[in-house]
Amino acid sequence: MMHRRLPWTASVWARLPPLAARGVHAILLYGARGIGKKSLALDLGEALLCTAPQPDGHACGRCDECRLTLPGTHPDLRWVMPQALAEQLLPQTDGEAVADAEPSAETEAEGKPARASREIRVEQIRALADFLGISAYRGGHRVVLLAPAEAMNAIAANTLLKMLEEPPSATVFVLVADALDDVLPTIRSRCVLVQVPLPAPAVCLRWLSEQGVSDPEPALALASGAPLAALGEAGADTLAHDASSAIYGLLERGPALTAAQIAAGVGRDPAIAACLRILQCWAFDLLQYRASGSVRYHPQREMRIGRLAAQVQPAALWQWLDALGDAVAVRDHPLNARLVIECALTGYLKVFETCR
């Protein structure tokens, strides 16, 4: 599901219709993950296809073009995104509206189906050739929305580059990037870069409350101020309240934590990505408290983190943080989820080794 017309994106939106009016053929929206860049991209795509846009440049939502665009069936609009992200954000989109990759021949062990790709493959970019090689079906613009741009492998990026260098007429590319530095420099150079800033916390907290989040402040802090990530909408695994409470209960034990408690406290099938995110944020807050006497991700647990920070061994804490990074890098591989989290928490024990 993709949330639309987000209140904090209004100032950025005001810059987009004028760019399209100038004939800009490629725009790259960049900023932190989970702040609504894909929603902005889709807003712009709809506006470009709309025959009666509103005074602020947004699509009217009523014309024939909008009736096709809103359900994702407009023949002149294409999404390009990793299969895993498409399945999450566009579950009801007509297959023709998404540039698909050829199915991977890889399968998991024991005959299980392959995991959905988190990479934009070259086949997806090449599939745009047919789309761009003919006139617009409806006689107006053609729009390509691609997210995230850093998910393209090298071959896919270079294939897209050729299209950006010689763009077809009446075609607009709208790219989205969470990590601008990871986008091929030559692609960046052929786009107008538009930064989407992190929204003000007060706006995020109000919006999260409206979405039914009962305790938005800690959720927003853990998501580094990104409201959609706090809501669980940027591709991250969510963690049930009871499960997260169990993980925090183990972490707060600090030097009193034992291997037996870890074995008993980790659930049968924990969400790897969400658990590792909590552990990484906890490690970072321990480091930050030692350095500055404050925390970033867990303001509601600052006193407890402060007491633990005084007992950790900095070198061991850095080693644990590195090990967590390694675990995150392979989190999508077929693993025993419980074993991964138990090993990560066992590494936490070593942070307090001299305190035992």
Side-chain angles (χ1 to χ4, degrees), residues 43-343:
D43 283 344
L44 181 57
E46 290 178 346
L48 288 169
L49 297 171
C50 178
T51 57
Q54 300 176 18
D56 65 357
H58 277 110
C60 69
R62 298 182 299 274
C63 68
D64 290 342
E65 307 304 316
C66 288
R67 291 193 183 98
L68 288 170
T69 305
L70 290 175
T73 57
H74 200 294
D76 294 323
L77 176 70
R78 285 290 185 278
W79 272 107
V80 182
M81 58 175 61
Q83 182 185 356
L85 187 58
E87 289 177 357
Q88 179 190 5
L89 295 183
L90 309 172
Q92 296 178 338
T93 298
D94 188 302
E96 291 298 317
V98 182
D100 295 320
E102 291 296 324
S104 172
E106 298 177 359
T107 57
E108 294 181 11
E110 300 178 0
K112 295 181 181 179
R115 290 178 181 269
S117 175
R118 295 182 180 273
E119 181 179 77
I120 294 176
R121 301 174 183 272
V122 66
E123 292 87 354
Q124 292 175 268
I125 305 301
R126 288 172 179 162
L128 291 174
D130 291 339
F131 171 63
L132 301 176
I134 57 177
S135 300
Y137 286 94
R138 307 284 293 185
H141 282 92
R142 286 170 300 187
V143 181
V144 175
L145 308 178
L146 186 147
E150 64 270 27
M152 288 185 287
N153 59 37
I155 301 176
N158 281 294
T159 302
L160 178 67
L161 179 61
K162 295 177 182 178
M163 298 179 182
L164 296 178
E165 289 173 338
E166 299 179 5
S169 61
T171 299
V172 178
F173 294 84
V174 185
L175 282 62
V176 170
D178 300 331
L180 183 63
D181 290 343
D182 292 338
V183 179
L184 196 69
T186 45
I187 285 182
R188 298 201 305 262
S189 69
R190 284 160 177 78
C191 300
V192 173
L193 304 184
V194 177
Q195 183 176 19
V196 183
L198 203 66
V203 176
C204 298
L205 293 173
R206 183 166 58 251
W207 183 81
L208 286 169
S209 295
E210 292 170 354
Q211 306 308 307
V213 178
S214 59
D215 195 7
E217 189 169 356
L220 188 64
L222 194 61
S224 301
L228 295 183
L231 193 62
E233 291 292 334
D237 292 334
T238 56
L239 193 61
H241 175 74
D242 290 346
S244 64
S245 295
I247 295 294
Y248 282 121
L250 296 172
L251 291 171
E252 289 180 346
R253 291 178 180 274
L257 182 64
T258 66
Q261 290 167 342
I262 291 173
V266 176
R268 181 178 179 181
D269 189 24
I272 293 180
C275 287
L276 291 176
R277 170 70 177 170
I278 288 176
L279 299 184
Q280 284 184 307
C281 291
W282 188 265
F284 183 90
D285 276 349
L286 287 171
L287 286 169
Q288 179 163 314
Y289 196 93
R290 286 185 64 87
S292 64
S294 64
V295 299
R296 175 179 180 181
Y297 297 107
H298 299 95
Q300 75 283 15
R301 292 181 164 88
E302 184 168 344
M303 290 184 61
R304 181 58 178 160
I305 288 174
R307 289 194 292 270
L308 292 175
Q311 303 175 69
V312 302
Q313 300 300 308
L317 182 55
W318 278 110
Q319 290 174 358
W320 185 50
L321 194 54
D322 287 343
L324 292 174
D326 292 340
V328 168
V330 297
R331 69 185 185 276
D332 296 323
H333 290 236
L335 300 167
N336 183 315
R338 179 173 181 172
L339 182 59
V340 170
I341 304 306
E342 286 182 354
C343 288

Side-chain angles (χ1 to χ4, degrees), residues 12 15 28-32 35 37 40 193-198:
V12 180
R15 300 176 56 191
L28 199 165
L29 304 173
Y30 71 96
I35 58 175
K37 300 185 299 299
L40 265 176
L193 304 184
V194 177
Q195 183 176 19
V196 183
L198 203 66

